[in-house]
Amino acid sequence: MSITLQVKPRGRPIRGLPESIRLEPTDNTAKLYEKIAAQSNYSVYRLRITTDSGGKLPVPSSRDLLLHQTSLLSHGTIFVKDLGPQISWQTVFVVEYLGPLLFHPLVYLLRPYIYHDGLRAPSSLQTISLLMITVHFLKRELETLFLHRFSNASMPLFNLFKNSGHYWFLAGLLIAYVTYSPTSATAAPSNPALTYPAIALYFIGELGNLNAHLCLRKLRSSGGTERGIPQGLGFNLVTCPNYMFEILAWVAIAIVNRSWSTLVFMGVAIIQMVLWARKKESRLRKDFPEKYKKKRYTMLPGIC
């Protein structure tokens, strides 16, 4: 027997939103989104459906969740919110990482004009810093395009500017301007006893991070939203070894460029990664209460 759900807008009016919609109990929630999107002429990614007017009881768009498995049948009414213009997560990451890839080579090449320092050649540490940071963010771009699988298809367009600021300003302009200055610590001669071990640590961090991302990729099919318990190098130590190896790579960069600007970027990034890692640990415990082996440390063994 088909069911009829009453449809009401939440927040700004949605032109073309139907007053009701008819579905089968065996339909999945993704079809619910698709039918409302088709009738209102909106993208499914721009809509958020809840069973309450306050927006605290969301209905996820999933091809694995059937209507009769939700509380929709008992509520009988759904509320639809227009989230505003959206942008794909893949595009978000590509734009974010583009900032450092533009600023670092640009500042490095234009040093004589930016710092009015004649044609003095860059130091070996400045060149190594450029290569390490460029390779790091180039790797991120390639992972975004060919490796990562996203559980959410899109995010509000406005958030792009907020998210990009972290990378364009802190990792891009700030680190570049300080690192390639003729008065920076990076302009001093290299100390092989520090530089070579730092380069080795950098490659350990980058390769370990890549391996963790490969392990995470295997948990989700292309276009799917399913979750699983990650396994592989580092996952027996912490919840998010990808963050652990990320930090190792940036510690190596900080050793090479000796810049306070790098430490500022690292500090902000670590705070954010701690929050994400704790959220990930909480979700794994909730989704797999019997199977998941709880971790004491989410990101750095013995620390956090």
Side-chain angles (χ1 to χ4, degrees):
M1 178 183 293
S2 61
I3 60 173
T4 300
L5 297 173
Q6 301 302 310
V7 182
K8 295 183 179 181
R10 184 169 66 87
R12 73 182 74 176
I14 300 177
R15 183 179 300 179
L17 186 70
E19 295 183 357
S20 64
I21 190 167
R22 183 178 294 273
L23 294 151
E24 300 296 325
T26 53
D27 287 337
N28 54 47
T29 56
K31 187 169 184 179
L32 169 64
Y33 273 82
E34 291 166 359
K35 291 195 70 170
I36 291 180
Q39 293 190 39
S40 60
N41 200 28
Y42 272 64
S43 165
V44 293
Y45 304 120
R46 187 166 172 163
L47 302 176
R48 178 181 171 88
I49 299 175
T50 61
T51 56
D52 69 312
S53 58
K56 296 182 179 180
L57 300 174
V59 178
S61 176
S62 172
R63 300 201 178 278
D64 300 321
L65 182 62
L66 305 182
L67 294 182
H68 71 81
Q69 297 173 321
T70 71
S71 60
L72 287 169
L73 302 184
S74 59
H75 283 86
T77 300
I78 57 174
F79 297 85
V80 183
K81 181 178 177 63
D82 174 15
L83 298 176
Q86 301 287 297
I87 185 171
S88 74
W89 272 103
Q90 186 180 67
T91 302
V92 169
F93 285 126
V94 168
V95 173
E96 285 179 354
Y97 304 148
L98 185 61
L101 287 174
L102 291 175
F103 278 121
H104 281 270
L106 191 63
V107 174
Y108 178 85
L109 293 173
L110 298 180
R111 285 179 350 277
Y113 308 100
I114 295 174
Y115 305 106
H116 307 288
D117 191 44
L119 297 176
R120 181 187 298 184
S123 70
S124 60
L125 290 179
Q126 288 173 329
T127 301
I128 294 172
S129 295
L130 171 69
L131 292 173
M132 294 173 81
I133 293 173
T134 300
V135 169
H136 173 79
F137 284 106
L138 181 60
K139 166 182 166 290
R140 282 196 169 193
E141 292 281 32
L142 294 174
E143 288 175 338
T144 298
L145 293 172
F146 304 109
L147 181 61
H148 292 325
R149 289 171 174 167
F150 304 97
S151 57
N152 295 319
S154 65
M155 64 176 280
L157 177 61
F158 176 77
N159 288 0
L160 172 65
F161 305 100
K162 178 182 67 177
N163 290 17
S164 295
H166 173 68
Y167 291 101
W168 282 65
F169 178 70
L170 291 183
L173 183 59
L174 182 63
I175 294 180
Y177 184 81
V178 175
T179 297
Y180 308 123
S181 168
T183 60
S184 71
T186 324
S190 172
N191 180 352
L194 288 177
T195 303
Y196 293 147
I199 293 174
L201 180 63
Y202 172 81
F203 280 106
I204 291 172
E206 293 293 348
L207 292 174
N209 178 264
L210 174 61
N211 179 74
H213 288 161
L214 289 170
C215 293
L216 292 171
R217 174 184 169 86
K218 298 175 183 177
L219 299 178
R220 181 173 294 141
S221 60
S222 179
T225 59
E226 65 271 23
R227 302 182 187 278
I229 300 175
Q231 297 178 353
L233 179 66
F235 284 100
N236 60 323
L237 295 175
V238 294
T239 311
C240 299
N242 48 322
Y243 297 158
M244 176 180 69
F245 288 115
E246 172 97 0
I247 292 171
L248 289 181
W250 276 102
V251 167
I253 293 172
I255 293 172
V256 169
N257 73 9
R258 313 173 189 179
S259 171
W260 61 265
S261 58
T262 302
L263 297 179
V264 170
F265 170 74
M266 285 177 60
V268 175
I270 288 173
I271 291 172
Q272 183 60 73
M273 285 189 285
V274 166
L275 297 176
W276 286 336
R278 289 177 177 174
K279 185 177 180 180
K280 179 68 173 180
E281 173 69 17
S282 177
R283 176 170 289 174
L284 285 168
R285 293 185 182 187
K286 179 181 178 181
D287 291 347
F288 308 99
E290 303 297 331
K291 297 181 180 180
Y292 178 65
K293 183 179 179 181
K294 298 178 181 179
K295 306 293 189 304
R296 180 179 180 183
Y297 301 107
T298 59
M299 195 169 70
L300 294 173
I303 301 177
C304 61

